[in-house]
């Protein structure tokens, strides 16, 4: 599947680039903030080839793509540009929780690749030291550990970028303000033990390395300061006065007021998490293990991310997200494999196996939206199995030492100071998979449910007949290139009328100079060749009148070519019209109609 084409189709259905306020992506989904959500065609998006599901939650319009999300993202980004400065209408009607989740998700999403990569380096280091390959006192270890720690030490810088996108300020200025908080000169002032002040105002000692809340609050305040600096700066010197004013105002504010306040909140959150962990260590992993699918669907899974990252930065491990997510992700895989084992539907079985493997590695959206959510009962089973495994994870004191999406591929992230931690992680995985598989298999699901039939129908694409006539198998065409399927699967038509119409909505890719063949690409990415007659290239275009040109957008039923079939037959040539799907390898099922058809009636169904 061409995910660049998927990106183009998604952009069209969300209302075009004019409707996009901001765009980010995570491991599997595109995350839009739209100017007007009413302009987004959700039904069309859900039917778009390559789109798994659509979720409108947490202040974001989310389009679930799967593992190829980056390809679609880059294509959309090319169209909308790197910096989008449209203003979104007032979101005062959204709940405070929705607005908070929107801030967290938009701020944290851009930095996920950095801290995930750093987390995997940490995991590799843990394996190397555990097996004795590398000493934790060696210079090689110190350098690699520095590489792994950099993303966490400079977390305020990473968060400044995401917050700048959310609050619509200059990312470069926001990142520079984060650099002020981390500058070694500030640390040296505090290290003397003497009181520090700015213009006589006390500056409280704080370590901002790895902090989360101070920079988010700082960039939020900056979203009011930057427009003010822009407004009062004369246009002819604005280039340097605007950033100067931002730094002179935000630097002292961040160090004297906002930073200490954010640090206090950081500490209160950390104390709260530790208190819960001390009183009921099993509670959070138990709840996360059971409710994670619900949190993902509603877009509230991000709510716990700041607490988890703060724990990782300050303690080197966390129990807020990782243990419960590990239980939930593996449980999701167990439920999906139970569907694969029980279903008699070949397409569902193939989908369940592929998405089940992905979930086993820690990415659950394809499994969740593609299988368990649609069938319902397997989703319930995954939540029960995830809660059971999460309870064990909590009671055993399981923690995660690195920020990665929990799954089998990320198990090294559970290797740390406690040698039994990885053992408990493996046991958690076994409990989650086995318990969920058994529960899902026993409670079953409706293998011929309306949801499944609807999903199958929505994944099918109809190709209309381009001409009135009688249909026969392409294998009987008197041309080996077509009859042997060398160009792809297709259909042959004995034409009864002279007009050739477009069988799809899409784009004209090519028209041969001899006018006897035209290439189209549908909006769903299907590439078609309409070939009029056999060896009619020799007629050098005489019997054909073409009404479109390469690059034109066409609609299904639009006239493409008028053909004088009598002239073709009188010249001794076969008049067969052949329709071929030239990228047939991208599709599992291509079924053809038989008998007599009028133009615009269904000719092929593609899944």
């Amino acid at each position: 599947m061409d995910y660049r084409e998927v990106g183009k189709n998604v952009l069209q259905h969300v209302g075009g680039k004019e409707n996009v306020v901001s765009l980010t992506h995570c491991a599997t989904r595109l995350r839009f903030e739209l100017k007007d959500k009413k302009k987004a065609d959700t039904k069309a998006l859900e039917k778009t080839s390559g789109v798994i599901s659509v979720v409108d939650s947490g202040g974001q319009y989310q389009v679930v793509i799967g593992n190829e999300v980056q390809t679609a993202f880059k294509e959309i980004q090319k169209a909308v540009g790197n910096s989008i400065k449209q203003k979104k209408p007032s979101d005062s009607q959204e709940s405070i929780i929705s607005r908070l989740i929107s801030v967290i998700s938009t701020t944290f999403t851009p930095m996920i690749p950095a801290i995930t990569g750093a987390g995997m380096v940490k995991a590799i280091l843990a394996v190397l030291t555990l097996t004795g390959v590398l000493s934790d006192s060696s210079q090689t270890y110190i350098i690699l550990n520095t590489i792994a720690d950099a993303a966490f030490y400079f977390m305020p810088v990473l968060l400044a970028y995401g917050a700048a996108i959310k609050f619509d300020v200059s990312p470069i200025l926001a990142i520079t303000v984060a650099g002020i908080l981390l500058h070694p000169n500030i640390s040296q002032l505090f290290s003397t033990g003497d009181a520090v002040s700015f213009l006589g105002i006390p500056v409280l000692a704080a370590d901002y390395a790895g902090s989360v809340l101070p920079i988010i609050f700082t960039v939020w305040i900056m979203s009011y300061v930057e427009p003010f600096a822009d407004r009062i700066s004369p246009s002819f010197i604005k280039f340097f006065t605007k950033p100067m004013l931002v730094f002179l105002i935000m630097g002292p504010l961040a160090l004297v007021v906002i930073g200490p306040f954010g640090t206090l909140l950081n500490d209160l959150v950390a104390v709260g998490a530790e208190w819960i962990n001390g009183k009921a260590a099993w509670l959070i992993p138990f709840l996360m293990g059971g409710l994670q699918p619900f949190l993902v669907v509603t877009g509230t899974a991000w709510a716990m991310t700041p607490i988890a990252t703060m724990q990782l930065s300050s303690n080197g491990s966390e129990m807020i997200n990782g243990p419960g997510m590990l239980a939930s992700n593996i449980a999701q895989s167990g439920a999906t494999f139970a569907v694969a084992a029980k279903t008699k539907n070949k397409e569902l079985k193939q989908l369940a196996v592929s998405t089940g493997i992905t979930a086993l590695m820690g990415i659950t959206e394809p499994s969740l939206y593609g299988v368990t959510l649609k069938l319902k009962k397997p989703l319930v089973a995954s939540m029960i199995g995830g809660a059971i495994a999460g309870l064990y994870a909590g009671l055993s004191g399981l923690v995660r030492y690195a920020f990665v999406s929990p799954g089998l591929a990320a198990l090294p992230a559970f290797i740390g100071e406690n040698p039994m931690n990885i053992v408990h992680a493996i046991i958690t995985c076994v409990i989650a998979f086995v318990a969920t598989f058994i529960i899902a298999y026993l409670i079953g699901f409706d293998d011929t449910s309306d949801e499944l039939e609807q999903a199958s129908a929505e994944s099918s694409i109809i190709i209309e007949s381009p001409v009135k006539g009688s249909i026969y198998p392409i294998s009987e065409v008197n041309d080996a290139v077509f009859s042997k399927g060398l160009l792809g699967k297709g259909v042959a038509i004995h034409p009864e009328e002279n007009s050739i119409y477009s069988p799809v909505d899409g784009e004209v890719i090519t028209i041969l100079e001899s006018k006897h063949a035209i290439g189209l690409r549908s909006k769903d990415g299907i590439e078609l060749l309409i070939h009029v007659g056999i060896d009619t290239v020799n007629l050098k275009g005489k019997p054909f009148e073409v009404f479109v040109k390469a690059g034109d957008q066409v609609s299904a039923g639009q006239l493409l070519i008028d053909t004088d079939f009598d002239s073709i037959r009188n010249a001794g040539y076969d008049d067969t019209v052949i329709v071929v799907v030239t990228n047939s390898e991208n599709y599992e099922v291509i079924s053809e109609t038989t008998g007599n058809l009028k133009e615009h009636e269904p000719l092929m169904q593609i899944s």
Side-chain angles (χ1 to χ4, degrees):
M1 182 176 295
D2 185 351
Y3 280 91
R4 289 173 297 181
E5 193 67 28
V6 173
K8 291 179 182 178
N9 293 334
V10 168
L11 181 59
Q12 174 187 345
H13 292 315
V14 298
K17 66 180 182 179
E18 296 80 9
N19 197 36
V20 178
V21 177
S22 70
L23 170 64
T24 56
H25 74 89
C26 57
T28 58
R29 60 181 79 184
L30 298 164
R31 296 173 175 270
F32 290 93
E33 282 195 55
L34 300 178
K35 194 173 184 181
D36 183 0
K37 288 183 181 179
K38 293 179 182 178
K39 292 183 179 180
D41 190 342
T42 300
K43 289 184 178 179
L45 271 170
E46 289 175 337
K47 294 179 181 180
T48 299
S49 178
V51 173
I52 296 173
S53 184
V54 178
V55 181
D56 182 7
S57 184
Q60 292 183 327
Y61 192 81
Q62 305 167 19
V63 182
V64 185
I65 301 294
N67 296 337
E68 293 291 337
V69 67
Q70 287 195 36
T71 306
F73 171 79
K74 289 177 181 177
E75 191 63 31
I76 298 173
Q77 193 178 49
K78 280 197 296 185
V80 300
N82 291 326
S83 57
I84 307 167
K85 292 296 182 183
Q86 299 185 66
K87 285 291 183 184
K88 188 181 179 182
S90 174
D91 56 2
S92 58
Q93 294 181 349
E94 295 183 357
S95 68
I96 293 176
I97 294 177
S98 293
R99 292 162 70 180
L100 179 62
I101 296 299
S102 176
V103 170
I104 293 172
S105 59
T106 305
T107 300
F108 277 79
T109 297
M111 80 166 191
I112 293 299
I115 60 176
T116 299
M120 288 307 298
V121 175
K122 281 273 191 187
I124 292 170
L125 274 177
V127 173
L128 292 176
T129 53
L130 184 68
T131 56
V133 175
L134 197 62
S135 168
D136 59 7
S137 61
S138 68
Q139 293 180 347
T140 300
Y141 176 89
I142 293 171
I143 290 173
L144 288 175
N145 195 45
T146 301
I147 292 171
D149 278 342
F152 294 96
Y153 182 89
F154 291 103
M155 191 177 295
V157 174
L158 305 182
L159 289 169
Y161 176 77
I165 293 173
K166 175 60 187 175
F167 296 119
D168 193 24
V169 301
S170 165
I172 293 299
L173 298 184
I175 288 170
T176 306
V177 171
I180 294 171
L181 295 176
L182 296 172
H183 199 284
N185 285 352
I186 303 298
S187 301
Q188 289 174 9
L189 282 174
F190 293 140
S191 66
T192 62
D194 298 330
V196 178
S197 65
F198 175 77
L199 298 178
I201 304 171
V203 179
L204 298 180
D207 182 8
Y208 296 106
S211 63
V212 173
L213 298 181
I215 190 61
I216 295 177
F217 285 127
T218 298
V219 177
W220 173 50
I221 298 298
M222 180 178 160
S223 68
Y224 295 94
V225 171
E226 186 180 26
F228 168 76
D230 183 78
R231 212 166 37 245
I232 68 170
S233 295
S235 58
F236 63 96
I237 56 172
K238 184 178 294 186
F239 178 76
F240 59 84
T241 56
K242 174 184 171 181
M244 177 191 71
L245 288 171
V246 168
F247 294 149
L248 287 177
I249 296 171
M250 289 311 307
L253 267 179
L255 291 169
V256 175
V257 180
I258 307 171
F261 174 73
T263 301
L264 176 62
L265 286 183
N266 255 353
D267 294 342
L268 288 175
V269 169
V271 169
E274 290 300 325
W275 183 84
I276 295 174
N277 193 35
K279 295 293 182 180
W282 55 271
L283 181 60
I284 293 178
F286 169 73
L287 293 175
M288 290 294 291
L291 298 179
Q292 181 68 14
F294 172 76
L295 298 178
V296 170
V297 170
T298 58
T300 53
W302 288 96
M304 306 297 279
T305 303
I307 306 175
T309 51
M310 282 187 279
Q311 277 197 328
L312 271 172
S313 298
S314 58
N315 302 336
S317 64
E318 65 88 19
M319 41 67 65
I320 295 292
N321 264 5
M325 285 180 65
L326 178 67
S328 178
N329 290 354
I330 300 300
Q332 189 70 217
S333 177
T336 310
F337 274 110
V339 171
K342 195 161 188 173
T343 184
K344 295 179 181 179
N345 184 300
K346 291 182 180 179
E347 292 182 27
L348 178 60
K349 186 184 292 289
Q350 185 174 9
L351 175 64
V353 170
S354 61
T355 59
I357 293 173
T358 304
L360 205 58
M361 295 299 109
I363 304 297
T364 60
E365 279 91 344
S367 167
L368 176 62
Y369 291 111
V371 179
T372 60
L373 186 60
K374 289 178 178 176
L375 299 177
K376 296 182 177 62
K377 288 182 179 179
L379 177 62
V380 174
S382 74
M383 296 175 74
I384 296 172
I388 294 171
L391 179 61
Y392 173 82
L395 291 173
S396 65
L398 181 65
V399 297
R400 178 175 59 164
Y401 293 103
F403 197 103
V404 291
S405 183
L408 294 189
L411 278 178
F414 292 87
I415 299 174
E417 297 174 0
N418 179 7
M420 285 300 295
N421 198 69
I422 182 63
V423 176
H424 292 314
I426 293 171
I427 294 174
T428 298
C429 291
V430 173
I431 293 172
F433 189 91
V434 174
T436 306
F437 186 96
I438 293 172
I439 295 169
Y441 197 89
L442 290 178
I443 66 175
F445 54 92
D446 187 357
D447 208 14
T448 58
S449 66
D450 292 338
E451 291 89 347
L452 184 61
E453 291 176 359
Q454 182 182 355
S456 176
E458 289 180 354
S459 65
S460 299
I461 302 161
I462 301 299
I463 306 298
E464 297 179 359
S465 177
V467 65
K468 180 181 179 180
S470 56
I471 313 302
Y472 70 99
I474 196 171
S475 58
E476 298 178 11
V477 170
N478 188 27
D479 186 303
V481 173
F482 292 109
S483 63
K484 292 182 180 180
L486 300 181
L487 293 180
K489 297 179 181 179
V491 179
I493 307 170
H494 284 308
E496 297 177 6
E497 292 186 354
N498 289 334
S499 296
I500 308 293
Y501 300 94
S502 174
V504 293
D505 294 333
E507 180 184 2
V508 179
I509 302 303
T510 183
I511 299 175
L512 295 191
E513 189 176 347
S514 53
K515 303 179 184 179
H516 76 291
I518 183 170
L520 304 172
R521 182 185 293 120
S522 79
K523 65 178 183 180
D524 304 294
I526 298 171
E527 296 177 3
L528 297 172
L529 172 66
I530 302 175
H531 195 282
V532 184
I534 305 296
D535 293 331
T536 47
V537 63
N538 298 326
L539 297 176
K540 299 181 179 178
K542 291 180 181 179
F544 308 104
E545 183 179 2
V546 180
F547 297 95
V548 292
K549 63 183 182 299
D552 282 356
Q553 298 294 318
V554 294
S555 302
Q558 181 176 333
L559 181 62
L560 300 178
I561 304 173
D562 261 343
T563 306
D564 186 347
F565 282 111
D566 287 337
S567 296
I568 291 175
R569 289 187 283 267
N570 292 337
Y573 291 100
D574 189 325
D575 64 356
T576 298
V577 175
I578 303 164
V579 182
V580 176
V581 181
T582 56
N583 60 342
S584 299
E585 70 279 0
N586 292 347
Y587 304 97
E588 295 178 3
V589 180
I590 299 180
S591 56
E592 305 94 19
T593 306
T594 57
N596 292 321
L597 282 182
K598 295 181 180 179
E599 63 274 15
H600 318 320
E601 291 186 339
L603 177 70
M604 290 186 286
Q605 181 171 306
I606 299 176
S607 299

